Amino acid sequence: MIYTKLPHTDIEVSKICLGTMTWGNQNTEAEGHEQMDYALDQGVNFFDTAELYPIPAHPDRHSLTEKIIGTWFKKTGNRDKIILASKIAGKADFTKFIRTTGFNRDSIIEAVEGSLERLQTDYIDLYQLHWPERTTNYFGERGYTHDISDHWQDNIHQVLETLRDLIREGKIRHVGISNETPWGTMRYLEESKVHATLPRSITVQNPYSLLNRQFEVGMSEIAMREQIGLLAYSPLGFGVLSGKYLGDRKPDGARITLFPNYKRYSNETAVAATQKYYELARQNDLSLAQMSLAFVNSRPFLTSNIIGATSMKQLEENIASIDIALSDAVLKGIEAIHDQIPNPAP
């Protein structure tokens, strides 16, 4: 395993992070425990979860993923071996069953305390805002439509104050943001620079893959100059970059087969790009999944690559991507395809 440091800390995390959002729906508790056992054995010490998981969001499955992690901690006593990240859900129609009050002080405190109880731990190493509460573009929206009535920026100070107080209480150690734009990222950073007692956001969890390299436009410079590390999610684009959906296939039990509304990475242009990446991988004796993950692993702005799996075979392949160094020929081939079909799946 390769390790990096969470920016502005001395905390070492594996460059492969274990994503958990299928546990409690596509995966059972026993399967989640098996994945954690294997990942830890392979040197993965960084787990990412959220109060929302598993996905799709549903009142009957709310927060089952955190509970599965909690029972593993209790069974194994491995809490001190893991750097644990979780998130508070943002405002949305599909999260009304969790709460409707957004990121106000009481909501953040409630979310943290609920996660701590489910996770059976006294602290969370990295606590993140799952997506912006303000009106902006994320989750696959390309363009930004401004709403002059949205004054959410006025709440940033209050959000950071609440997180600061939770840090002082020892309930969380560090904070991060997720699904953020360049503007939002800089606002959080500037607020903590101007007010020295407020916590600095040390990571941003955004999508990044061969099908969506938009992080490179604007965000990558911020990541490098401000030292806010990318936690890349959907590095396989909901499994599209495994190649298993090519040829209009719908494998039994696969995410897009089960949840066809999750089509963010499955539009016609994205499928065409995936086919080209598949052919490039095959020409170089690589699996498409490992080429895709190895590319993400190689980016200089990456802190950790969040992989997820529903089977142990997938998990083994995904973690093993850390051992793959892409040749110059493969990297040039990737750039040639990217030039032809840039960012087909935002």
Side-chain angles (χ1 to χ4, degrees), residues 123-136:
Y123 66 97
I124 296 168
D125 296 284
L126 177 65
Y127 197 68
Q128 305 154 98
L129 307 174
H130 206 153
W131 61 87
E133 190 177 20
R134 68 186 188 279
T135 302
T136 189

Side-chain angles (χ1 to χ4, degrees), residues 150-215:
D150 184 4
H151 301 293
W152 191 87
Q153 64 177 319
D154 300 334
N155 294 349
I156 289 177
H157 189 93
Q158 175 192 298
V159 168
L160 290 176
E161 276 189 328
T162 305
L163 293 170
R164 175 200 64 197
D165 293 346
L166 288 163
I167 290 172
R168 288 174 174 174
E169 292 175 25
K171 293 178 179 178
I172 61 178
R173 297 176 69 190
H174 299 283
V175 299
I177 50 182
S178 182
N179 292 293
E180 262 300 356
T181 65
W183 182 88
T185 301
M186 288 306 301
R187 275 294 291 115
Y188 275 102
L189 292 174
E190 289 301 314
E191 195 71 17
S192 62
K193 287 180 183 179
V194 172
H195 303 281
T197 65
L198 298 182
R200 180 190 183 97
S201 298
I202 61 171
T203 57
V204 55
Q205 184 174 148
N206 275 21
Y208 186 77
S209 71
L210 290 176
L211 299 177
N212 180 357
R213 293 170 58 178
Q214 291 193 130
F215 191 88

Side-chain angles (χ1 to χ4, degrees), residues 1-7 11-19 43-48 83 85 126 128 202-208 215 228-235 293 296-307 322:
M1 184 50 59
I2 295 172
Y3 297 88
T4 60
K5 284 189 177 179
L6 289 178
I11 299 173
E12 287 196 342
V13 294
S14 49
K15 207 165 190 177
I16 297 292
C17 175
L18 182 61
V44 175
N45 73 339
F46 193 19
F47 295 176
D48 178 74
I83 305 303
L126 177 65
Q128 305 154 98
I202 61 171
T203 57
V204 55
Q205 184 174 148
N206 275 21
Y208 186 77
F215 191 88
I228 179 170
L230 171 64
L231 306 181
Y233 80 76
S234 289
L293 293 172
V296 176
N297 295 341
S298 71
R299 301 300 88 187
F301 43 77
L302 182 81
T303 290
S304 196
N305 186 1
I306 305 173
I307 56 99
I322 198 66

Side-chain angles (χ1 to χ4, degrees), residues 248-323:
D248 293 323
R249 286 177 293 178
K250 296 181 179 179
D252 290 342
R255 186 181 310 170
I256 297 174
T257 305
L258 294 172
F259 316 120
N261 57 312
Y262 279 23
K263 51 190 177 183
R264 180 174 177 181
Y265 300 96
S266 304
N267 63 71
E268 184 177 340
T269 309
V271 171
T274 300
Q275 182 66 47
K276 289 181 179 292
Y277 288 122
Y278 172 78
E279 292 166 2
L280 176 65
R282 187 174 59 177
Q283 290 163 9
N284 289 274
D285 297 320
L286 295 166
S287 76
L288 175 56
Q290 288 200 322
M291 184 183 81
S292 301
L293 293 172
F295 176 77
V296 176
N297 295 341
S298 71
R299 301 300 88 187
F301 43 77
L302 182 81
T303 290
S304 196
N305 186 1
I306 305 173
I307 56 99
T310 53
S311 73
M312 289 303 297
K313 182 179 179 182
Q314 291 171 349
L315 184 65
E316 291 165 9
E317 180 180 24
N318 292 351
I319 292 176
S321 70
I322 198 66
D323 297 322

